[in-house]
Amino acid sequence: MKPKYQIFIITLILTGILIAAGCTDDQYKTTPGYDNSGTEDDGTIIIFVTIPPQKEMAEAVGGDYITVKTLVPPGADPHSYEPSPGTLEDISKADAYAIVGSGLETEENWLDRITGLNPDLKIINCSSGVKFIASEAEEDDSGETNTNGHADPHIWLSVSNGKIMTENMKRGFTEIKPELRAEFESGAENYISLLDTLNSEISDKLKERRGEYILVYHPAWRYFAEEYGLKTISIEKDGKEPTPAGIKSVIDQAEKYSIKTVLISPQFSIKSAEVIAEETGSRVMTADPLKEEYIENMRTTAEVFSEA
């Protein structure tokens, strides 16, 4: 083979290798859950949170001094989500990880692996000080309430808990950068003031519904409901679709309490909810427990609950 052809072939091979490497990197950057909105050399603190609602809280506290990335992307289920390679690479370089801390399966399954990738990662437990409520509560034929003995992990769906989570972030950020204490305290104070206003608004909107039952597909809304004197009946049990007997039980309860609305969440299947809605002559409405715009979404949720 002539030398000039040898050089040509070698050049083609090297170009192919470089293109393949570039594609691999791009695949990580376009994997769902990968958030490259911040850079690691811009002087900000790199903070990971687990779910989108935490992002607004963190950014309110940290302002321009932090860059926030989310482990579980919008639209994904934090009970079953597995982080992408790109997300794991990012969190291996982060300064802190603000976990919800309430038993979400993604945190339970991945926290040890994440801290193994980044032994210096500061863990901020956002649920510290939260009063947990039992999960999967349901009323049997005798009127007694039974639970499976586990805590309900959806703590952020209480505005009061949102305030506690914000305070925990403030303390965690301050431990990382004590010189920014005043800035973090100011950010937290301003955001908590907004949450206090929100809480008053929702209380006024739902005061006429106190004591009523709300039918939901996914059992995410107990913290929200209990905060405003409501009760929920969930269709899904222990993360599973209901059995025919379970569907019949829910239909019976819906008729017992004159429930005419079924609340669904966009992250979960609605097949059984549609069956129940058809059998009871109910309408289907959507309430999203995982939107990033926390205050706006809680206000929208209150509107949905007021119409349910």
Side-chain angles (χ1 to χ4, degrees), residues 66-200:
I66 68 171
T67 294
V68 184
K69 301 185 179 186
T70 307
L71 188 74
V72 180
D77 180 1
H79 298 289
S80 59
Y81 181 74
E82 296 187 359
S84 68
T87 299
L88 293 175
E89 181 181 356
D90 262 10
I91 203 168
S92 72
K93 302 172 186 176
D95 296 295
Y97 175 21
I99 62 173
V100 177
S102 59
L104 282 175
E105 289 84 343
T106 293
E107 289 181 352
E108 299 281 295
N109 294 338
W110 286 89
L111 187 57
D112 285 346
R113 201 174 315 184
I114 287 169
T115 54
L117 290 171
N118 187 349
D120 296 325
L121 186 70
K122 179 175 179 57
I123 303 299
I124 301 169
N125 186 353
C126 289
S127 70
S128 180
V130 167
K131 183 179 179 181
F132 292 102
I133 60 177
S135 66
E136 298 291 334
E138 56 181 314
E139 189 176 281
D140 61 23
D141 292 337
S142 68
E144 295 295 322
T145 298
N146 302 310
T147 75
N148 61 11
H150 300 132
D152 188 323
H154 308 92
I155 63 167
W156 65 93
L157 295 175
S158 152
V159 176
S160 296
N161 287 344
K163 292 168 59 176
I164 294 174
M165 296 172 73
T166 301
E167 289 280 3
N168 286 327
M169 289 186 189
K170 178 195 73 176
R171 282 192 289 271
F173 298 172
T174 301
E175 289 173 5
I176 298 171
K177 286 283 187 180
E179 64 272 25
L180 294 175
R181 175 184 297 273
E183 287 81 357
F184 295 149
E185 287 182 347
S186 176
E189 181 180 344
N190 291 338
Y191 190 69
I192 287 173
S193 176
L194 294 176
L195 293 180
D196 283 334
T197 300
L198 173 68
N199 197 17
S200 296

